[in-house]
Amino acid sequence: MGGLSEDLSSTTLHLDSDNNQRVYFVPYRWWKDAHDSLTGDADGERGLPFLASPGSSYAGPMKIINNIFNSDLVFNLKREEDSSQNSENGEVGISGRDYALVSGEMWVQALKWHIDSKSSTRNGGSFSVAEDNIADVYPLQLRLSIQREANLLGVRISKKDNVVELFRRACKIFNIESELLRIWDFSGQTISFFSNSNMQRQSDQEVLLELQVYGLSDFIKCKEGKKDELANSILGNSSGTSPAMNGASGTGSSGCFFVNSSVFSGSSREAGSLGLTGLQNLGNTCFMNSALQCLVHTPKLVDYFLGDYDKEINYDNPLGMNGEIALAFGDLLRKLWAPGASPVAPRTFKSKLARFAPQFSGFNQHDSQELLAFLLDGLHEDLNRVKKKPYVEAKDGDGRPDNDIADEYWQNHLARSDSIIVDVCQGQYKSTLVCPVCKKVSTTFDPFMYLSLPLPSTTMRTMTLTVVNTDGSTPTPYTITVPKSGKWEDLIKALSIKCSLREDETLLVAEVYNYRIIRYLEEPADSLSLIRDGDRLVAYRLAKDDEQVPLVVFMHQRIEEQYINGKHSTIPKAFGFPLLAKLPSAFNGSDIQDIYKKLLSPFQVSTQYALEENHTSDIDTIDKTREEENGTNSPSACVIDPLRSEDGVSSPSDADFQFYTTDEKGTIKGSEIEVGESLVGSEKSKRLYVLVSWPEKQIERYDTRLLTSLPEVFKSSFFTKRPQESVSLYKCLEGFLQEEPLGPEDMWFCPSCKKHCQASKKLDLWRLPEILVIHLKRFSYSRFLKNKLETYVDFPVDDLDLSMYVAYKNDQTCTRYVLYAISNHYGSMGGGHYTAFVHQGGDQWYDFDDSHVNPIGLDKIKSSAAYVLFYRRVVA
């Protein structure tokens, strides 16, 4: 895309500036969100990935001196051969350093999708690119050259080709000295560069490409007074021509467009709005950016760190970090709240974090709540006003009122821990333990920094299995819901109801991998946690017999032809999931063939072949009758059998299935099974394994795609969602506070019985903090399963009332809260993407997505991505 027009009188090629041929440079994630939604395929078109690396603008003998005085921005793009490996452990397209090249048509479709999705809360309206729907699109001139020896694409951005403002933007966008930068080409433009014959002839040939840069205006937001100035500098004179480049002139259509962001949000935001500054993604650091944005918008913390907080740094605290975490956080907060700030790269903070918490080093994805817990504790210790902590021994209640005991515990806590974090973020539990033997009651009052609430409704799991019948009917996938901690018998029961299993039938479930059965799931007491989301399960529907009868397991194989070094060869290739049926007590090769053909009947493409066979049979019958009547074999009565050659020799290998004995893996090709041959199954398993070789003619007569299609237990990806479950935040809180027995690993030592026992535990909220942080426990871990819970939690935004859940009743204590920030997690565990929603006065909320900050409607705040909620207490 982007047609090349050669100018043979010059060493520079110019690209046609026609609208349909334009190439747009956009954030990868912006493009992928729209593409995946429009196509419904998150694993579809991937584009060509290129990795940027530093380059040299001059390769002559004066290279070093020339590069010192040359202000051009120069780098190379090299094709990444294995981008799939990079995407498994990383966050491709979400790091903020991944971009995409798309055609004009692709850009228009993606822009339309984003506008429609963001304007759904407002009035509708038709879409037109000619209207004010283009946000900060500006042109950037690049000079490209091919370095064929190294298979590199050289890129040079010159001040001579671009106005100063746009060149400065380019320097920020393409800064590759300290961060990886990838560009994914969906436009096909790079292929045209490498294949251009004129460029192949001249190694110093350059292509002048005009990129339309979109979606990256957060680097520099022009004030209204500068928009016209910049537009005029780009558009040039009143004739609408752009600056000349090597004698070439462009038209006004390639100028710069500026549109108020109210197109997308309903309100505009200028650069320099206090607190509306993004954080650059340094490589899978969105988890850190999300947690930081929530903290730097916590009211009391903002005032504190904008003041003289360094006076309270405790450099002598052995539990602290010598004040380095507090100083790094304070410096970062000030940068984010500075007027006119552009997106901040939190490298210093990241390095300090990696030093004191090595678990967060490197560039792997982490948990924003785990970072938040470490950071709050680290800030507290660095800012602890207590220089020398006294030894405090907890005393038993001895029948004293809870109020007195709680106050004593709290004062003991403050004697050792006193900081802005304690002032703002810490509350107090009442914890009650009861011995099941002597009924001894132990009450303690412990501080808490946040509440980690379970999601009580997420006890179920959705699973998909394919039921295969032996009566010739089509295999059918069924989706069932079973207890997440359930047993295998729970799945069989649910699936039996779903597929209307009769009393005289039974189900045999097997896991299929690489076109063979790797295990049979027959133990009713086995845990369902042994089944992973990516497994593929088949449930064979069989007749229920009083006595065990042998089974036949068919595996399929086709012969593929290959030419290696000009020599013809054939290679067997397995395909499809195995078919299974019960065998009679005595059987032979003919029975095996009949059973297999019956099992294949649902996959037959059409009845045409059967009609042809019947037609041939009818002709044979008629001709035979004529022969009997005439007593002669006339030429007109001769019919050629379609399965025979013209010389009358049978060719079964051309059309018939061939059956061989094999092992349970289908790797051994034993003797061929003859029609009348008597067979026996394996004495050990009572199963006969048969390998069926398919000729090409049979491949054409059956729909092998149906035989190969086998869904996963649950298809999980960044863009897919589990069936929505819903629960109230109050229900989560009730589940957290309800009485429950301690686990075997948390036995309590009873002071009366003098032994460890499995006591019952009850938590109550006693003292509420000014800032209440609520962690929704979406990630679950077990020995066999790691899972993310996609439950939709309905949480209050304007009025969280905890009066019913506070054990200490005090008229002066306010129990009402309002939401001011959310840390969101999208996608599956171990990857995905984090963002933050922050309230900024009135009804206005903002979406902090790494370096991008955009307004968001109040109705978009609640979602199943909400992970950590930040509430502030309402002043009574």
Side-chain angles (χ1 to χ4, degrees), residues 758-777:
Q758 196 169 354
S760 63
K761 183 177 182 179
K762 174 71 170 69
L763 288 178
D764 291 290
L765 299 179
W766 188 264
R767 189 187 305 268
L768 295 176
E770 182 172 341
I771 298 297
L772 178 63
V773 180
I774 297 179
H775 164 224
L776 303 176
K777 298 176 68 174

Side-chain angles (χ1 to χ4, degrees), residues 491-508:
L491 182 144
I492 295 297
K493 181 179 179 181
L495 185 59
S496 299
I497 296 173
K498 191 76 172 182
C499 70
S500 302
L501 194 73
R502 300 194 305 267
E503 291 185 0
D504 61 344
E505 292 179 318
T506 186
L507 292 173
L508 176 61

Side-chain angles (χ1 to χ4, degrees), residues 692-762:
V692 185
S693 180
W694 284 56
E696 277 304 315
K697 288 187 177 180
Q698 296 292 3
I699 296 290
E700 298 171 0
R701 292 165 184 161
Y702 292 91
D703 188 351
T704 55
R705 292 175 300 175
L706 292 176
L707 191 60
T708 306
S709 176
L710 198 60
E712 296 179 359
V713 167
F714 179 79
K715 181 66 174 177
S716 179
S717 71
F718 183 87
F719 295 97
T720 57
K721 295 182 179 180
R722 293 179 181 270
Q724 190 74 247
E725 294 180 87
S726 178
V727 62
S728 164
L729 181 65
Y730 293 112
K731 286 291 183 183
C732 298
L733 186 59
E734 290 168 6
F736 174 72
L737 298 177
Q738 70 181 0
E739 184 176 354
E740 60 182 2
L742 295 175
E745 67 280 0
D746 295 323
M747 302 286 275
W748 174 61
F749 183 80
C750 176
S752 295
C753 298
K754 304 298 182 184
K755 63 179 182 179
H756 288 88
C757 61
Q758 196 169 354
S760 63
K761 183 177 182 179
K762 174 71 170 69

Side-chain angles (χ1 to χ4, degrees), residues 521-701:
L521 306 169
E522 300 177 281
E523 292 296 329
D526 280 353
S527 172
L528 290 179
S529 63
L530 296 171
I531 306 301
R532 299 166 299 179
D533 283 351
D535 292 343
R536 302 177 190 271
L537 302 183
V538 177
Y540 296 98
R541 191 168 185 162
L542 306 171
K544 185 185 296 183
D545 297 302
D546 295 334
E547 58 183 34
Q548 187 177 4
V549 297
L551 298 173
V552 58
V553 180
F554 295 102
M555 288 171 275
H556 327 284
Q557 186 183 85
R558 61 184 298 179
I559 304 299
E560 287 193 349
E561 296 184 355
Q562 291 187 352
Y563 288 88
I564 303 177
N565 297 328
K567 295 183 179 180
H568 176 267
S569 63
T570 58
I571 299 177
K573 183 179 180 181
F575 71 96
F577 56 83
L579 298 177
L580 188 148
K582 289 194 173 184
L583 289 167
S585 54
F587 57 93
N588 56 30
S590 179
D591 297 324
I592 294 295
Q593 296 184 19
D594 292 342
I595 292 173
Y596 186 67
K597 291 180 179 179
K598 181 180 180 181
L599 293 175
L600 280 184
S601 59
F603 307 99
Q604 196 165 4
V605 174
S606 67
T607 58
Q608 183 65 32
Y609 176 58
L611 292 174
E612 291 176 357
E613 282 191 323
N614 292 337
H615 178 65
T616 302
S617 178
D618 292 342
I619 294 177
D620 288 342
T621 303
I622 294 172
D623 289 339
K624 185 176 181 181
T625 302
R626 288 176 178 174
E627 290 173 6
E628 291 176 350
E629 291 175 351
N630 299 331
T632 178
N633 292 332
S634 63
S636 62
C638 179
V639 178
I640 299 176
D641 190 326
L643 301 183
R644 294 174 177 270
S645 59
E646 292 188 3
D647 59 5
V649 178
S650 176
S651 303
S653 62
D654 292 337
D656 289 350
F657 296 108
Q658 291 177 297
F659 299 83
Y660 301 87
T661 58
T662 186
D663 61 352
E664 60 185 11
K665 297 181 179 180
T667 56
I668 299 175
K669 193 171 184 179
S671 59
E672 184 173 1
I673 300 174
E674 302 296 338
V675 173
E677 179 184 355
S678 297
L679 301 168
V680 293
S682 169
E683 290 296 330
K684 180 179 178 181
S685 63
K686 297 294 184 181
R687 295 185 178 108
L688 173 66
Y689 293 93
V690 177
L691 183 64
V692 185
S693 180
W694 284 56
E696 277 304 315
K697 288 187 177 180
Q698 296 292 3
I699 296 290
E700 298 171 0
R701 292 165 184 161

Side-chain angles (χ1 to χ4, degrees), residues 150-169:
N151 198 27
L152 293 176
L153 184 65
V155 181
R156 182 162 63 92
I157 304 175
S158 175
K159 279 186 178 180
K160 297 178 181 179
D161 299 337
N162 300 277
V163 295
V164 175
E165 186 72 5
L166 299 187
F167 181 82
R168 190 158 67 91
R169 293 192 185 197

